[in-house]
Amino acid sequence: MHVSERLLQLYADVDASTRTNLQTLIKQNLGDGKSLTVSFEELTGATKASLPTDEKSAADFTAWIKDGKKDVTFLPYYVSLLEKHDRVLNKEATVPQPIAVDKTVVNETTADTASEKTPQSAAPAPKPRYVPETSVPSRAERAKRIEPARPRKKKGKWLGGLLLVLVLLGGGYIGYPYVAALFEPSETAEVETTTPEPEPVAEAPAVTEVWLTEKNVDLVSEPNGTNVTYTGDIGDRYDVLEERDDHVLLDLGVDDMNAWAPMESVTTDWKPFTLSDQQVLNFLQTGVDQTYLDSTTVDDYLSFSESELYEVLGQPYGRDDDALNDYAFYNGIFFVIQDEAVHAIDWTNTPTTKEAFKQLGRPVYETEDAIVFESPKYSLRMFVGENGTSTRIRVTEI
């Protein structure tokens, strides 16, 4: 298998997060410049003599990724690392462990050293005993000097008791009415309080959604205007913001963009899905060109960012854009890119006729030049060309 085909196969097997981590390690290893053979050996621990010995830097590798991987010097080096991505990403560096220090030994040594250096303090000298200047008199002499206690007068005792009785009698006379009032039932009528009921809050009307019912619908900047903001397709779903003059204002869902659609080109009556997700995928395996589905599935494409799409398929043959989307054209297929991510895939000039397409089941919506099928996850649509023979098939996630 050619190395470029092997790269496409690896992109189908290795998820985007793993590829991004691998590319980051490659840039860190290459740095300002290094032989690709040496870099491969450092990253994998293995040697590969068939790799080029050219010196490349991280800047060269970044430019190679952005340029669509056209430089054949990097290609075998990058593919070989992708094949060994598990070994590269799981490789661990050996870090020497710090030497543990026995704190007990250090502390004991320090303590011994400190004890050797610290001089022993001398025993304190005994303090001299206190000798009074005059002799202390004996207990008998002290007893002679103590005078007998005088008897206490009892007059103040009965005066204090009389005063206490008078205070109690006066306090009882004054406080009686207040104490009695505590035991009497209250004659005050209870006043009933009523809590006012809260006023009803007006609920905002639910946002109404509509679907376009024609293959090409001009969405204009004002009702009955001629300035076309965007051209929508049958099956496109939008939220309604306002209704005026037989027109509805639609939220286009990108950068707060709005546009008006005529009421005759929209409907709120949209049937539920009639196909399973697997029926949609089975049809895409036979009803459209398989050139770009060999190594990458429809689910992969619909989950790609714009840059991931270009990493897998390279730069497109042509580009176009409008108010909402960018379009990347390849041979027989183009990708609708919205907010820098793949939004839909369109196969052009398909061999499938309208009659063959209708054999899938009951359409969700059908017109003379368009048919819409839906499953829980996908919207599958066919647009019939003006000549009535060529058809375009689109798949997008709902």
Side-chain angles (χ1 to χ4, degrees):
M1 181 183 292
H2 191 268
V3 66
S4 60
E5 295 177 357
R6 180 58 183 154
L7 177 62
L8 291 177
Q9 179 64 38
L10 286 169
Y11 264 74
D13 298 337
V14 181
D15 60 87
S17 176
T18 301
R19 298 197 303 269
T20 301
N21 293 337
L22 177 62
Q23 292 171 9
T24 301
L25 287 178
I26 292 174
K27 294 174 187 177
Q28 294 174 352
N29 182 266
L30 290 177
D32 295 331
K34 185 179 295 184
S35 167
L36 296 183
T37 305
V38 173
S39 175
F40 178 83
E41 184 175 351
E42 292 177 351
L43 290 172
T44 64
T47 58
K48 191 166 187 177
S50 61
L51 292 178
T53 59
D54 300 20
E55 286 195 1
K56 296 290 184 178
S57 66
D60 296 332
F61 180 75
T62 301
W64 180 72
I65 290 291
K66 292 182 178 180
D67 194 37
K69 307 178 184 67
K70 297 179 181 178
D71 186 356
V72 295
T73 305
F74 268 118
L75 191 57
Y77 163 79
Y78 183 52
V79 170
S80 300
L81 288 176
L82 274 177
E83 292 173 338
K84 297 179 179 294
H85 68 272
D86 288 335
R87 179 187 298 182
V88 175
L89 296 178
N90 294 330
K91 185 178 180 184
E92 296 181 354
T94 303
V95 181
Q97 298 297 323
I99 299 176
V101 179
D102 191 340
K103 295 183 178 180
T104 305
V105 175
V106 174
N107 291 339
E108 291 177 355
T109 305
T110 305
D112 294 342
T113 305
S115 63
E116 292 176 1
K117 294 182 179 180
T118 304
Q120 298 294 329
S121 59
K127 295 182 180 180
R129 187 174 181 180
Y130 172 74
V131 178
E133 296 179 358
T134 59
S135 60
V136 179
S138 64
R139 182 179 299 177
E141 293 176 350
R142 292 198 302 271
K144 293 178 181 180
R145 298 179 184 179
I146 300 175
E147 298 180 358
R150 298 179 180 179
R152 297 180 63 182
K153 298 181 179 180
K154 299 183 179 181
K155 181 177 180 180
K157 186 174 181 180
W158 67 267
L159 287 177
L162 179 61
L163 180 61
L164 178 61
V165 172
L166 293 176
V167 170
L168 292 176
L169 292 175
Y173 177 79
I174 297 173
Y176 173 77
Y178 299 99
V179 176
L182 295 176
F183 297 94
E184 294 181 0
S186 176
E187 298 180 357
T188 305
E190 296 183 359
V191 179
E192 296 183 359
T193 58
T194 57
T195 303
E197 296 182 358
E199 297 182 358
V201 179
E203 296 182 357
V207 176
T208 304
E209 57 183 7
V210 296
W211 287 260
L212 301 186
T213 58
E214 298 176 12
K215 187 172 72 170
N216 295 314
V217 180
D218 288 338
L219 307 181
V220 293
S221 59
E222 57 185 6
N224 299 310
T226 58
N227 184 18
V228 178
T229 302
Y230 176 69
T231 300
D233 286 320
I234 186 173
D236 289 348
R237 187 202 66 81
Y238 300 104
D239 290 334
V240 176
L241 303 177
E242 185 182 342
E243 181 178 347
R244 188 200 311 167
D245 298 337
D246 296 329
H247 281 67
V248 285
L249 180 62
L250 306 180
D251 180 2
L252 300 186
V254 177
D255 296 332
D256 297 327
M257 292 185 60
N258 304 325
W260 295 87
M263 290 290 293
E264 61 185 13
S265 300
V266 301
T267 182
T268 57
D269 184 16
W270 196 253
K271 298 177 182 178
F273 62 86
T274 57
L275 299 181
S276 67
D277 294 338
Q278 192 59 48
Q279 284 179 295
V280 173
L281 297 177
N282 291 343
F283 167 79
L284 294 175
Q285 291 176 356
T286 58
V288 298
D289 185 4
Q290 300 298 300
T291 302
Y292 297 95
L293 296 179
D294 289 340
S295 59
T296 306
T297 66
V298 169
D299 278 338
D300 289 335
Y301 281 126
L302 292 176
S303 65
F304 278 172
S305 65
E306 183 177 7
S307 59
E308 289 175 332
L309 176 68
Y310 298 155
E311 286 182 10
V312 175
L313 299 184
Q315 294 299 312
Y317 303 146
R319 299 175 185 270
D320 199 358
D321 63 82
D322 54 31
L324 294 186
N325 307 315
D326 292 322
Y327 302 90
F329 293 91
Y330 295 86
N331 187 19
I333 191 174
F334 68 86
F335 295 85
V336 181
I337 299 171
Q338 191 174 103
D339 288 337
E340 299 182 354
V342 175
H343 177 66
I345 311 172
D346 285 63
W347 287 267
T348 58
N349 299 321
T350 68
T352 305
T353 63
K354 181 179 178 182
E355 289 71 21
F357 192 67
K358 289 179 63 176
Q359 292 179 4
L360 280 173
R362 181 170 56 87
V364 173
Y365 206 88
E366 178 182 2
T367 63
E368 184 177 351
D369 55 2
I371 301 176
V372 180
F373 285 102
E374 287 185 354
S375 69
K377 184 177 181 180
Y378 303 104
S379 173
L380 182 66
R381 314 177 207 179
M382 170 180 280
F383 307 97
V384 182
E386 295 181 359
N387 57 11
T389 56
S390 64
T391 57
R392 172 168 58 94
I393 292 177
R394 166 178 293 181
V395 64
T396 184
E397 288 188 350
I398 298 177

